[in-house]
Amino acid sequence: NAGVTQTPKFQVLKTGQSMTLQCAQDMNHNSMYWYRQDPGMGLRLIYYSASEGTTDKGEVPNGYNVSRLNKREFSLRLESAAPSQTSVYFCASSVVGQGYGYTFGSGTRLTVV
Amino acid sequence: RKEVEQDPGPFNVPEGATVAFNCTYSNSASQSFFWYRQDCRKEPKLLMSVYSSGNEDGRFTAQLNRASQYISLLIRDSKLSDSATYLCVVNKGNAGNMLTFGGGTRLMVKP
């Protein structure tokens, strides 16, 4: 049981390049989330998908787009990377309803130069 | 005011010590509470849920005070392996399962 799998683990981009971060979960969870974590800033929600077919903006959505491809997969796209997007990106998933925590993937370390 | 506030630390304690972390939250409608552990350069992992009656898991005890909107985590007999950042997590009290993460408290256990 892999849980939440993120790819790639590391990536270096040049300013203006685009890329897609992939996330897949095998726990049959309905909800999925993308966070970024920067030193001193904690975890900040970028986008989330409460269920298959829906996506919503979180706290810091600018510069990002998402796709909930199916129940298992939720991708995050940077269309034109900027140095301010240098961060560690975590995908997470959960069941619907209160009382449940999130399960996180191992993260993607992204550097934009 | 932040939705979830924690002392960032670091808390430097010797092995075997008892250490307590506190957390306050601002949303009185919150219904679910958790402590997560995050090791350096790793993902956050669920340590324990926090129930109104308080709960214990081995050396770890979590308490919730709804009236004061305050959550605590007590670690007894600290081990070197307890060194990590501890995140206080609170749900937003809406119908879904949106969680708010505190900034974390860093614990360093020394030999």
Side-chain angles (χ1 to χ4, degrees), chain A residues 12-32:
Chain A
V12 179
L13 289 179
K14 293 182 179 179
T15 297
Q17 286 185 316
S18 62
M19 79 162 295
T20 299
L21 281 63
Q22 306 287 352
C23 175
Q25 53 90 11
D26 61 4
M27 297 173 288
N28 202 35
H29 286 170
N30 285 306
S31 302
M32 298 184 74

Side-chain angles (χ1 to χ4, degrees), chain A residues 6 10 31 33 35 37 40-43 45 48 58 90 94-107 109, chain B residues 2 29-32 34 36 38 40-46 49 87 91 93-103:
Chain A
Q6 289 184 238
F10 302 93
S31 302
Y33 315 84
Y35 285 87
Q37 187 173 39
M41 299 294 290
L43 285 161
L45 182 65
Y48 67 99
F90 289 106
S94 74
V95 299
V96 175
Q98 296 188 29
Y100 299 96
Y102 295 172
T103 300
F104 283 86
S106 59
R109 295 188 173 276
Chain B
K2 289 183 180 179
S30 296
Q31 296 293 324
S32 304
F34 310 91
Y36 273 70
Q38 186 172 23
C40 187
R41 302 176 75 82
K42 299 285 189 180
E43 72 273 24
K45 292 185 178 178
L46 180 64
S49 300
L87 307 176
N91 92 316
N94 52 17
N97 192 24
M98 298 303 299
L99 301 180
T100 300
F101 289 78

Side-chain angles (χ1 to χ4, degrees), chain B residues 50-65:
Chain B
V50 186
Y51 304 117
S52 296
S53 55
N55 49 302
E56 186 174 311
D57 183 0
R59 297 181 293 108
F60 298 82
T61 300
Q63 297 280 352
L64 168 64
N65 184 322

